[in-house]
């Protein structure tokens, strides 16, 4: 229900080499991303889900090891090896996962934020996820609720910087698809990726937030900066967006077609509609 980012912290991000997953494509290419969850509300330095959505049980089929998540056409599949903790885990899965095979657990639950939570699991898991483009277990954008348009929410502390960038790029004057392309080009042309921020916190003036400093001044940061800034900038331009958290699949295991996912491959990105 909540994730604390390293936005505003100085120094080197901790980049552990501990292996947390192994990923082996079974049909089609390996997915570039495995998602754990998405979040809809940002208040520095945390993303959260507000309000927290209830879990919905998933019904097993066949022998209790097959768990249909969605009814849709899906042809890609990938084998994922992972651990559970005391019989519980949040499953890392490709966006658009439709069904899990070889998942011998007692219970599977999901929610509007796309969390797939299991219980009654063995210590080691080796499951097959079948996935494809289109529908996802997370909900469509929430534009009406008793708390307002949750997927257009922008904290007041960040509106000054977002308004400046929106005006600079003329985002409100162009069609929505072009707004997305303009934002992408803005970050590509003007920003650098960096996991080491030696003195950014000391440089941030008292009247600026770390994200505002990132957008308007130093323009160097890691994935949490880019994902957060992109989600909020798109929202400010009228495009529903969320912050997604999970894993980047990028390290091929020598001599095989399997990929190793380490703790340092934890990743954040933006989902938009």
């Amino acid at each position: 229900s909540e994730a604390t980012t390293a936005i505003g912290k100085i120094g080197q991000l901790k980049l552990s080499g501990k292996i947390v997953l192994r990923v082996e494509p079974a049909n089609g290419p390996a997915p570039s991303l495995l998602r754990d969850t998405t979040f809809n509300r940002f208040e520095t330095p945390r993303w959260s889900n507000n309000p927290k959505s209830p879990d919905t049980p998933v019904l097993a089929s066949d022998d209790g090891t097959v768990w249909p998540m969605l009814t849709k056409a899906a042809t890609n599949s990938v084998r994922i090896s992972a651990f559970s903790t005391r019989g519980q885990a949040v499953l890392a899965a490709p966006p658009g996962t439709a069904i899990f095979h070889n998942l011998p657990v007692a219970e599977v639950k999901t929610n509007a934020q796309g969390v797939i939570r299991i219980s009654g699991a063995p210590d080691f898991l080796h499951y097959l996820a079948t996935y494809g483009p289109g529908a996802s277990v997370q909900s469509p954008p929430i534009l009406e609720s008793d708390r307002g348009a949750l997927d257009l929410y922008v904290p007041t502390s960040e509106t000054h910087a977002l308004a400046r960038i929106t005006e600079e790029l003329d985002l409100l004057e162009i069609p929505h698809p072009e707004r997305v392309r303009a934002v992408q080009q803005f970050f590509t042309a003007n920003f650098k990726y960096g996991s080491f921020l030696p003195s950014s916190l000391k440089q941030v003036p008292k009247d600026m937030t770390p994200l505002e400093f990132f957008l308007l001044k130093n323009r160097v940061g890691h994935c949490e900066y880019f994902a957060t800034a992109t989600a909020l900038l798109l929202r400010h331009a009228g495009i529903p967006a969320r912050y997604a958290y999970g894993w980047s699949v990028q390290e091929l295991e020598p001599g095989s077609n399997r990929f190793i996912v380490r703790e340092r491959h934890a990743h954040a990105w933006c989902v938009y509609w």
Side-chain angles (χ1 to χ4, degrees):
S1 60
E2 182 178 281
T4 300
T5 72
I7 291 175
K9 293 184 179 180
I10 63 173
Q12 179 72 45
L13 285 181
K14 294 181 179 179
L15 302 176
S16 167
K18 178 181 178 181
I19 296 174
V20 293
L21 300 166
R22 274 190 165 85
V23 178
E24 182 178 7
N27 190 48
S32 59
L33 297 170
L34 299 174
R35 189 185 64 195
D36 277 5
T37 189
T38 56
F39 299 94
N40 61 22
R41 185 179 183 89
F42 180 70
E43 301 290 349
T44 304
R46 294 180 179 85
W47 275 95
S48 63
N49 285 314
N50 190 5
K52 183 180 178 181
S53 61
D55 288 337
T56 301
V58 179
L59 298 178
S61 61
D62 296 342
D63 60 354
T65 65
V66 178
W67 301 86
M69 307 300 296
L70 296 168
T71 302
K72 71 173 197 177
T75 58
N76 291 338
S77 57
V78 61
R79 293 184 178 89
I80 300 173
S81 301
F83 295 100
S84 68
T85 302
R86 294 187 295 275
Q88 300 185 56
V90 170
L91 289 187
T97 293
I99 188 169
F100 291 106
H101 294 269
N102 193 35
L103 188 61
V105 300
E107 191 173 46
V108 176
K109 292 182 177 181
T110 187
N111 66 13
Q113 278 69 45
V115 178
I116 303 170
R117 195 188 315 273
I118 62 171
S119 59
D123 293 339
F124 182 73
L125 299 163
H126 185 64
Y127 54 94
L128 181 76
T130 300
Y131 65 100
S136 168
V137 291
Q138 68 171 315
S139 73
I142 300 172
L143 303 180
E144 292 184 7
S145 74
D146 58 357
R147 295 174 182 259
L150 298 181
D151 292 311
L152 288 174
Y153 169 78
V154 174
T156 56
S157 59
E158 309 296 350
T159 54
H160 173 257
L162 298 172
R164 279 188 55 177
I165 302 300
T166 299
E167 183 178 1
E168 176 186 330
L169 301 179
D170 290 326
L171 290 182
L172 300 182
E173 306 302 320
I174 57 179
H176 280 205
E178 293 184 22
R179 295 179 194 183
V180 175
R181 286 191 287 270
V183 168
Q184 184 179 29
Q185 184 177 6
F186 169 70
F187 283 113
T188 301
N190 300 291
F191 290 73
K192 293 181 179 180
Y193 183 89
S195 60
F196 181 67
L197 304 177
S199 57
S200 63
L201 190 61
K202 297 177 183 177
Q203 296 172 4
V204 177
K206 292 183 178 179
D207 61 345
M208 296 183 75
T209 69
L211 194 67
E212 184 178 10
F213 186 69
F214 168 73
L215 281 169
L216 301 180
K217 298 293 183 181
N218 74 334
R219 296 191 166 179
V220 176
H222 48 77
C223 61
E224 293 174 328
Y225 281 92
F226 283 93
T228 299
T230 301
L232 296 185
L233 188 54
L234 290 177
R235 288 179 174 191
H236 197 267
I239 297 173
R242 290 177 188 161
Y243 175 92
Y245 172 82
W247 307 93
S248 172
V249 181
Q250 56 181 269
E251 181 181 340
L252 187 63
E253 189 172 25
S256 75
N257 68 335
R258 294 185 304 179
F259 289 79
I260 296 172
V261 178
R262 304 179 188 272
E263 283 188 345
R264 65 169 174 258
H265 295 145
H267 191 51
W269 63 95
C270 173
V271 177
Y272 65 89
W273 286 266

